[in-house]
């Protein structure tokens, strides 16, 4: 009888997992397999799957520009990730330590770039950081008697960190704010009674209690940034100069869709995506082990 109930339970659980399993297979596994298969062909505008084996991967390894794309990807992911997490944490701490209404308004305003159309947001940021005298910042600097600064030509990486960071930090800000608000006030009150400063409370109580949320945001945003190129494309498009900000995923886009018929090198573009897929899988395993994400999923760490 017990065995029959156990089988019935397994059957019901299996049925409940079918929809999620189908979604994962159709929208994640199948595209990943097709991308890897595509990278083994010279598929182009003719849409003929001609098998070339590892020739595309050999070209990827021997191409002198590959190191530039890899280096740019590391800079872009590391810099934007640091900005996203750091700014998101700072905003969460500030907005949860002021009046609740003002804090909510502050978080809502910082969320505007995320809900704004991408093209409009990119246009506004290009106007603010324009290297021309008519740009917003340069207009202010000239009004103060200074010299215009070629922002996007001289400081293109900080510019991209800010452009992407203003979007990405709102995600961490919301998660960190929720986590901070969930901390029992007894801990904070007890620390204040013992004479702890606000900085000590943040360092010794708040940050340790939201470490799981920080770990999740770091892992999630790292994997997201590997496949992120939207605002690089809309603002600098890999420039200025020779591949100055061309990351791997943007190069894949340019190879596949950069120019009408002149590109459409889908097979070679798929190599970049396949390499990023492997890097993402490796980083997922590393984060899983280092951040002990299994414990995060096993049981809640905060009341």
């Amino acid at each position: 009888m017990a065995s029959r109930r156990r089988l019935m339970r397994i059957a019901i659980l299996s049925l409940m997992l079918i929809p999620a399993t189908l979604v994962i297979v159709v929208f994640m596994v199948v595209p990943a397999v097709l991308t890897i298969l595509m990278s083994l062909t010279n598929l182009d505008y003719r849409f003929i799957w001609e098998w070339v084996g590892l020739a595309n991967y050999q070209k990827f390894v021997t191409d002198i520009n590959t190191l530039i794309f890899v280096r740019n990807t590391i800079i872009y992911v590391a810099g934007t990730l640091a900005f996203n997490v750091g700014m998101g944490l700072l905003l969460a701490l500030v907005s949860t330590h002021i009046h609740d209404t003002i804090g909510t308004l502050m978080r809502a305003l910082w969320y505007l770039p995320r809900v704004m159309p991408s093209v409009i947001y990119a246009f506004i940021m290009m106007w603010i950081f324009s290297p021309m005298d008519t740009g917003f910042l340069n207009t202010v600097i000239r009004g103060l008697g200074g010299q215009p600064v070629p922002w996007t030509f001289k400081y293109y990486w900080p510019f991209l960190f800010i452009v992407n960071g203003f979007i990405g930090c709102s995600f961490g800000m919301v998660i960190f704010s929720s986590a901070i608000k969930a901390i029992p006030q007894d801990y904070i009150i007890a620390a204040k009674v013992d004479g702890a400063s606000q900085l000590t409370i943040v360092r010794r109580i708040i940050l340790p209690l939201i470490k799981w949320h920080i770990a999740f945001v770091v892992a999630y945003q790292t994997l997201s940034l590997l496949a992120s190129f939207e605002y690089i494309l809309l603002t600098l498009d890999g420039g200025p100069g020779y591949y100055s900000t061309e990351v791997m995923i943007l190069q894949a886009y340019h190879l596949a869709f950069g120019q009408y018929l002149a590109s459409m090198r889908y097979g070679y573009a798929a190599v970049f995506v396949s390499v990023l897929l492997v890097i993402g899988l490796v980083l997922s395993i590393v984060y899983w082990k280092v951040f002990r994400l299994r414990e995060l999923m096993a049981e809640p760490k905060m009341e």
Side-chain angles (χ1 to χ4, degrees):
M1 190 64 180
S3 177
R4 187 175 178 180
R5 287 180 179 175
R6 185 169 177 273
L7 289 175
M8 183 64 71
R9 184 182 178 188
I10 293 174
I12 293 173
L13 290 175
S14 300
L15 285 173
M16 294 175 67
L17 287 174
I18 286 178
T21 304
L22 285 176
V23 169
I24 292 173
V25 170
V26 173
F27 293 104
M28 299 182 74
V29 177
V30 171
V33 173
L34 285 176
T35 300
I36 294 172
L37 291 176
M38 192 185 301
S39 69
L40 301 174
T41 71
N42 64 351
L43 185 68
D44 55 16
Y45 64 93
R46 298 169 298 168
F47 291 100
I48 300 175
W49 290 60
E50 294 178 343
W51 181 265
V52 295
L54 298 176
N56 285 333
Y57 287 91
Q58 183 179 7
K59 182 178 180 180
F60 175 83
V61 173
T62 57
D63 190 341
I64 59 173
N65 291 322
T66 299
L67 284 178
I68 298 176
F69 305 142
V70 172
R71 182 202 63 189
N72 289 347
T73 301
I74 294 172
I75 294 174
Y76 171 68
V77 172
T80 308
L81 179 67
F83 187 95
N84 285 357
V85 178
M87 181 61 75
L89 188 58
L90 178 64
L91 291 171
L93 288 169
V94 172
S95 65
T96 52
H97 284 77
I98 57 180
H99 191 278
D100 198 46
T101 303
I102 299 176
T104 302
L105 178 63
M106 178 181 169
R107 288 192 294 273
L109 290 175
W110 272 92
Y111 217 77
L112 280 179
R114 181 172 286 274
V115 298
M116 186 182 295
S118 302
V119 175
I120 295 176
Y121 173 71
F123 174 79
I124 293 174
M125 298 304 284
M126 286 297 289
W127 169 62
I128 293 174
F129 292 95
S130 171
M132 309 297 290
D133 293 352
T134 51
F136 175 75
L137 286 180
N138 280 340
T139 301
V140 173
I141 291 174
R142 284 196 307 118
L144 296 174
Q147 292 295 320
V149 178
W151 299 104
T152 54
F153 286 105
K154 192 174 182 180
Y155 304 107
Y156 44 84
W157 280 121
F159 167 73
L160 289 177
F161 298 157
I162 292 173
V163 171
N164 286 274
F166 278 6
I167 301 287
C169 71
S170 58
F171 174 76
M173 175 189 68
V174 171
I175 292 180
F176 298 150
S177 298
S178 301
I180 293 172
K181 283 178 172 290
I183 296 175
Q185 284 300 305
D186 295 348
Y187 297 169
I188 308 297
I189 294 172
K192 288 181 178 177
V193 170
D194 290 341
S197 65
Q198 198 61 47
L199 183 60
T200 302
I201 293 174
V202 170
R203 189 163 55 90
R204 295 290 182 87
I205 297 178
I206 295 179
L207 291 181
L209 288 176
I210 66 170
K211 65 179 182 180
W212 296 101
H213 305 81
I214 297 174
F216 166 75
V217 171
V218 169
Y220 176 84
Q221 296 221 340
T222 302
L223 300 179
S224 297
L225 287 169
L226 285 174
S228 168
F229 67 94
E230 180 181 8
Y231 293 103
I232 303 178
L233 176 68
L234 289 173
T235 54
L236 302 182
D237 196 17
Y242 186 73
Y243 292 144
S244 300
T245 58
E246 184 91 351
V247 294
M248 291 176 66
I249 192 65
L250 180 60
Q251 174 62 11
Y253 170 82
H254 281 147
L255 286 170
F257 308 108
Q259 297 175 355
Y260 182 68
L261 290 183
S263 290
M264 292 189 173
R265 298 165 62 188
Y266 301 121
Y268 188 46
V271 172
F272 287 82
V273 180
S274 299
V275 171
L276 286 172
L277 176 65
V278 173
I279 294 173
L281 289 173
V282 171
L283 285 176
S284 298
I285 296 172
V286 171
Y287 281 145
W288 183 267
K289 295 290 187 183
V290 173
F291 292 154
R292 296 180 296 171
L293 294 178
R294 178 186 287 275
E295 297 180 24
L296 173 65
M297 298 175 65
E299 57 180 335
K301 295 297 180 182
M302 298 176 59
E303 294 179 359

